[in-house]
Amino acid sequence: MATRDYPLERVRNFGIIAHIDAGKTTTSERVLYYTGAQHKIGEVHEGETTTDWMEQERERGITITAAAVTCFWTPTTEEDKKDITKKIRFNIIDTPGHIDFTVEVKRSLRVLDGAVVVFDGVAGVEPQSETNWRYADEGKVPRICFINKLDRTGASFERSFHSIIDRLTKSAVRMQIPIGEEGDHDGVIDLLTREAVYFEGEMGSVIRRGAIPENLKAEVEKHRGELVEKIVSENDEQMAAYLDGTEPSIPELKATLRKAVIANSIVPVFCGSALKNKGVQLVLDAVVEYLPSPLDIPPVTGVNPKTGDPVMRHAADDEPFCALAFKLQTDPFVGALTFFRVYSGVVEAGSYIYNSSTGSKERLGRIVRLQADKREEVKTVFAGEIAAAVGLKDAKTSHTLCDETNPIILEEIKFPEPVVSMRIEPKTKGDQERMGMALKKLSDEDPTFRVTSDTETMETIISGMGELHLEILVDRMKREFNVDANTGKPQVAYRETIQKEAEAENKYIKQTGGKGQYGHVVIKIKPMEPVEVGVKQKNNVEREDHFEFVNNIKGGVIPQEFIPAVKKGVKEAMERGIVAGFHMEDISVELNDGSYHDVDSSEIAFKIAASQAFKDAAERAKPVILEPIMRVEVVVPEKFMGDITGHVTSKRGQIESIEDRGLAKVVNAKVPLSEMFGYTTALRSMTEGRGSMTMEFDHYEVVPQNVAETIKAARK
């Protein structure tokens, strides 16, 4: 058996997450340079970065796909540099910041142990920062913050720090303050050690520590007092000593802070400028000191598929093998790659693995470790590591791979629903055959990309998270799969629901010569209520996302084998919709009564009866159309303020707040997605090209009556 070259306590799996344009990729490039993984820094504006390796990423200067890299870091203090046992292995994932590619952040956070959250020092917390923070909260991922771009005009560490406190977490605490801002940004001050830190030499790789500038001493003492108080409040003994006038030593404070960060009760905040090579090395030191190794996080829990019992797996090589496939990618050189995180045990190339999500076995041919788009072949992957398998056929995103004799199914990753769709058709007969294959591969890779066909027109419909998302996917079809396609205009993914209760009864009776058909159901439908946390679900209730089925049949008035057919009939009717043919959701259906015939009853009869009963009830339950509402942030110079607020209001938008950000104004609003197509172009023409806009999905809301009539007319 192979042995691991790095003990688990010296491994850190972390992601770099942020809003678009906060400087994640620039930070990642510095990390690769300082860790020695590459000898030249690639810049986003020059299109030469390592982690943004796709052509579309380099052309647009944005990150589209999460890139995984492995590198090694030696902490910056002199005694650590001499000690080879202090070298740490980093498995880093650089994630996209654009809302259309939010799937990449969600799935990456599921398999990472920690995160570095990057903020723009001018803008502070932005909409996507909040979404990513929420994903990290859901996964209980420990994080540290890095306020970047403090060299920019209008940058303010204090304003950005307070936006974190106000909008994300009250647990944030300053670990550093900057020495100067904007053009005067020279370095940072480490509050714990009371040292000024400067970054000199080529690419800031020489770190010089010195005395604090006189004009900052009072501010340092004030913030250091707050920091020490926050740390000792996590440890009763240290708190008692501190109140008696004895401050714990720096190693003791760091040990307490590490526990607090891993427990998510403190979030340390660092600062600097990645582009100007200031502060990044100290963030890497903080990753080592405060973010967890695989040994520090709780054991992963799952379910035994044979018995349904809960099972635990610890991060240890001698436990049974268990891993989660979190991403599929088509690689131009090696074919299909399945990225997986090993939670326990060891897996070797050439061995057989069991996919407990599908019940199938596959041979694991080759395993590679990735350097973004470059790959290094490895023979063995140990607990706590991230790698990619080449050529697995059955594995999809969220599938559990494990040891067949000790099966386990880990919790699946939940992905947001697509909100924009468009029609797509191949240009030629040759494109037609390739298009089906391309769409299948792309939808396997990206769980927020759906492919369906319109049953009435037989057209292919693709759905995704936004206009840019679909544009990139169509572009990839052309470049990677050589498929030319025509696309329609983007359409909004409307939904339908009901607003009150209704009952209906339906008997489906069909007599032909011989065996007939008989199905009879009585159902009641009502709007689905949110489930309260901690409330145990009743045995007769089956709950899915946006749908609930309650079986109230007593005494066998409908035999048990026909109940699933009733549920299936209801779900098929919900797919077809009532008002304008959109998928219905958030409905609770109760099956209360019915009858059957000993000879004539069948599954198909009960399915049809249930489908028709649901349709009758839904028509009387005040059905309505729902539309996606987007959270929109518009940043404009003050002189265009009036035009922009008027324009947002004319688009059925509700303005929630207007803030100052440097010399610009920020308008936060909620606007229906249907009104936002092409908005960026309109915004640029209204603001002489100086305005910018970001938006992300917020919630679904009932469409006003006049808009509903227009939608219905268009559907006819």
Side-chain angles (χ1 to χ4, degrees):
M1 188 74 174
T3 54
R4 64 161 69 235
D5 51 353
Y6 266 74
L8 262 184
E9 62 270 13
R10 283 180 21 223
V11 172
R12 299 287 182 276
N13 297 314
F14 67 98
I16 298 181
I17 61 174
H19 183 88
I20 191 167
D21 258 359
K24 288 175 311 308
T25 302
T26 306
T27 306
S28 300
E29 288 297 313
R30 298 310 181 269
V31 171
L32 293 177
Y33 178 76
Y34 296 134
T35 55
Q38 66 186 41
H39 303 296
K40 173 180 177 289
I41 291 184
E43 300 295 8
V44 174
H45 52 83
E46 290 164 4
E48 291 183 352
T49 57
T50 304
T51 53
D52 283 357
W53 54 271
M54 286 169 67
E55 286 175 30
Q56 293 91 336
E57 296 181 307
R58 293 184 167 182
E59 285 168 9
R60 290 171 169 81
I62 60 169
T63 305
I64 291 168
T65 180
V69 286
T70 300
C71 51
F72 299 90
W73 174 244
T74 308
T76 57
T77 57
E78 286 309 312
E79 60 270 23
D80 284 346
K81 280 187 178 170
K82 295 183 185 116
D83 186 350
I84 189 70
T85 64
K86 292 288 169 66
K87 211 169 192 188
I88 306 282
R89 170 191 248 140
F90 285 166
N91 296 316
I92 308 173
I93 297 186
D94 172 34
T95 63
H98 197 289
I99 181 63
D100 286 13
F101 310 106
T102 187
V103 58
E104 296 285 347
V105 183
K106 181 123 192 177
R107 61 172 156 205
S108 300
L109 282 173
R110 173 71 159 74
V111 297
L112 293 168
D113 305 329
V116 174
V117 191
V118 182
F119 298 92
D120 181 329
V122 179
V125 173
E126 297 174 89
Q128 187 67 18
S129 323
E130 293 187 60
T131 305
N132 292 345
W133 196 270
R134 200 166 61 242
Y135 291 158
D137 279 343
E138 283 170 19
K140 298 187 173 61
V141 177
R143 57 219 98 137
I144 58 181
C145 298
F146 176 52
I147 296 176
N148 186 24
K149 299 195 177 187
L150 288 177
D151 59 308
R152 275 185 65 196
T153 306
S156 163
F157 173 76
E158 282 301 310
R159 189 177 65 235
S160 301
F161 176 76
H162 283 291
S163 72
I164 295 172
I165 294 278
D166 294 341
R167 293 171 65 176
L168 300 180
T169 175
K170 296 279 183 274
S171 308
V173 63
R174 301 172 191 82
M175 294 297 289
Q176 299 172 338
I177 58 170
I179 302 171
E181 286 172 347
E182 302 184 343
D184 301 327
H185 179 50
D186 282 340
V188 300
I189 289 173
D190 184 329
L191 293 177
L192 261 190
T193 60
R194 292 189 178 95
E195 286 176 314
V197 187
Y198 301 96
F199 303 86
E200 297 168 351
E202 190 183 351
M203 295 297 180
S205 50
V206 178
I207 294 174
R208 179 170 67 81
R209 297 169 193 266
I212 297 169
E214 279 299 323
N215 62 335
L216 290 172
K217 281 187 172 168
E219 195 183 339
V220 167
E221 288 311 309
K222 174 179 162 239
H223 293 321
R224 189 177 188 280
E226 291 167 7
L227 170 63
V228 172
E229 274 177 31
K230 190 119 183 171
I231 296 173
V232 297
S233 68
E234 298 287 322
N235 181 311
D236 293 343
E237 281 177 27
Q238 289 182 1
M239 187 69 176
Y242 184 69
L243 292 173
D244 287 342
T246 312
E247 186 185 295
S249 68
I250 287 175
E252 287 171 335
L253 287 172
K254 284 185 171 180
T256 303
L257 179 56
R258 177 179 176 77
K259 282 187 181 150
V261 172
I262 292 170
N264 272 311
S265 54
I266 291 184
V267 180
V269 180
F270 297 82
C271 62
S273 162
L275 187 65
K276 294 288 191 283
N277 309 309
K278 291 179 171 56
V280 176
Q281 298 99 311
L282 301 188
V283 173
L284 298 184
D285 284 352
V287 167
V288 176
E289 287 181 322
Y290 307 122
L291 288 186
S293 76
L295 294 174
D296 296 314
I297 56 169
V300 66
T301 54
V303 179
N304 183 321
K306 292 175 181 165
T307 63
D309 297 333
V311 202
M312 270 183 165
R313 290 278 190 275
H314 295 81
D317 296 344
D318 53 5
E319 290 237 341
F321 169 65
C322 148
L324 183 75
F326 67 94
K327 176 178 161 71
L328 302 190
Q329 184 176 310
T330 306
D331 185 286
F333 301 102
V334 294
L337 287 176
T338 307
F339 286 76
F340 60 94
R341 156 79 193 255
V342 180
Y343 284 101
S344 64
V346 176
V347 67
E348 292 189 335
S351 59
Y352 279 88
I353 53 171
Y354 178 64
N355 183 334
S356 55
S357 305
T358 61
S360 63
K361 265 175 84 170
E362 279 197 71
R363 186 170 176 273
L364 185 61
R366 292 165 60 202
I367 307 174
V368 291
R369 191 171 284 134
L370 276 103
Q371 237 22 31
D373 62 335
K374 300 186 176 58
R375 53 210 75 65
E376 161 205 350
E377 217 155 304
V378 289
K379 290 279 173 267
T380 315
V381 187
F382 299 91
E385 295 186 350
I386 292 171
V390 179
L392 289 184
K393 291 195 172 53
D394 286 349
K396 300 273 183 287
T397 301
S398 263
H399 282 184
T400 304
L401 311 173
C402 62
D403 172 12
E404 193 175 8
T405 52
N406 293 285
I408 180 174
I409 293 186
L410 302 174
E411 189 188 343
E412 288 202 343
I413 311 171
K414 288 202 164 51
F415 295 109
E417 290 292 314
V419 290
V420 173
S421 47
M422 63 161 72
R423 298 175 191 284
I424 186 168
E425 60 184 30
K427 281 190 176 169
T428 66
K429 187 92 175 100
D431 288 324
Q432 187 163 10
E433 289 159 13
R434 290 193 298 271
M435 187 172 99
M437 184 189 74
L439 289 175
K440 181 181 185 315
K441 282 191 174 170
L442 291 170
S443 62
D444 281 350
E445 272 186 36
D446 184 347
T448 59
F449 174 57
R450 307 276 167 82
V451 183
T452 50
S453 67
D454 188 319
T455 45
E456 289 168 12
T457 62
M458 298 313 289
E459 290 173 303
T460 302
I461 310 286
I462 56 174
S463 309
M465 300 304 294
E467 284 180 273
L468 180 66
H469 187 199
L470 295 180
E471 184 191 317
I472 296 280
L473 286 160
V474 171
D475 190 34
R476 285 186 60 194
M477 274 171 55
K478 187 171 182 178
R479 291 193 199 192
E480 292 171 33
F481 301 97
N482 200 19
V483 175
D484 266 333
N486 295 322
T487 53
K489 271 173 45 190
Q491 305 286 324
V492 177
Y494 292 106
R495 301 268 188 273
E496 294 180 20
T497 192
I498 55 170
Q499 292 188 307
K500 62 177 203 178
E501 289 185 10
E503 289 191 38
E505 177 176 11
N506 189 280
K507 268 187 185 170
Y508 178 72
I509 305 172
K510 200 171 182 184
Q511 284 312 128
T512 49
K515 188 174 183 294
Q517 296 285 2
Y518 183 94
H520 171 215
V521 297
V522 178
I523 63 166
K524 174 176 159 185
I525 66 173
K526 61 182 181 184
M528 186 168 153
E529 288 167 10
V531 83
E532 287 177 42
V533 179
V535 175
K536 202 165 184 310
Q537 196 167 288
K538 293 178 183 162
N539 287 338
N540 65 331
V541 177
E542 288 178 57
R543 201 177 176 97
E544 299 171 14
D545 281 347
H546 307 293
F547 173 63
E548 182 179 77
F549 184 73
V550 185
N551 175 12
N552 288 332
I553 295 299
K554 302 272 192 300
V557 291
I558 296 176
Q560 196 56 42
E561 68 260 30
F562 296 133
I563 305 292
V566 173
K567 181 181 169 187
K568 196 171 177 191
V570 165
K571 288 187 82 170
E572 281 184 11
M574 283 174 69
E575 280 293 331
R576 291 192 291 271
I578 294 295
V579 186
F582 297 111
H583 174 68
M584 300 188 81
E585 60 179 37
D586 293 334
I587 297 176
S588 174
V589 178
E590 290 179 23
L591 174 60
N592 292 328
D593 201 1
S595 61
Y596 74 104
H597 187 282
D598 283 341
V599 177
D600 290 353
S601 279
S602 66
E603 285 188 7
I604 189 82
F606 273 100
K607 192 171 113 176
I608 294 169
S611 187
Q612 290 177 349
F614 178 85
K615 192 167 175 288
D616 296 344
E619 281 169 354
R620 297 198 300 275
K622 207 173 168 195
V624 287
I625 299 176
L626 300 171
E627 65 179 344
I629 304 294
M630 310 303 279
R631 188 164 56 172
V632 178
E633 182 188 88
V634 186
V635 184
V636 290
E638 191 166 352
K639 69 173 187 175
F640 303 111
M641 213 27 229
D643 296 349
I644 294 302
T645 50
H647 194 233
V648 168
T649 314
S650 74
K651 290 187 165 294
R652 299 195 281 128
Q654 289 184 321
I655 292 173
E656 302 209 309
S657 68
I658 296 172
E659 301 161 12
D660 291 316
R661 183 178 293 165
L663 299 172
K665 290 278 187 189
V666 182
V667 181
N668 292 301
K670 300 263 174 73
V671 191
L673 174 62
S674 58
E675 303 282 349
M676 292 304 293
F677 290 127
Y679 183 74
T680 308
T681 314
L683 174 68
R684 283 183 188 144
S685 63
M686 281 162 51
T687 60
E688 299 167 5
R690 291 161 66 193
S692 65
M693 180 275 291
T694 54
M695 70 172 179
E696 60 180 5
F697 172 70
D698 194 77
H699 66 284
Y700 269 95
E701 203 171 87
V702 176
V703 171
Q705 190 57 41
N706 59 329
V707 180
E709 294 304 327
T710 314
I711 295 169
K712 280 192 262 185
R715 290 288 277 187
K716 286 195 176 102

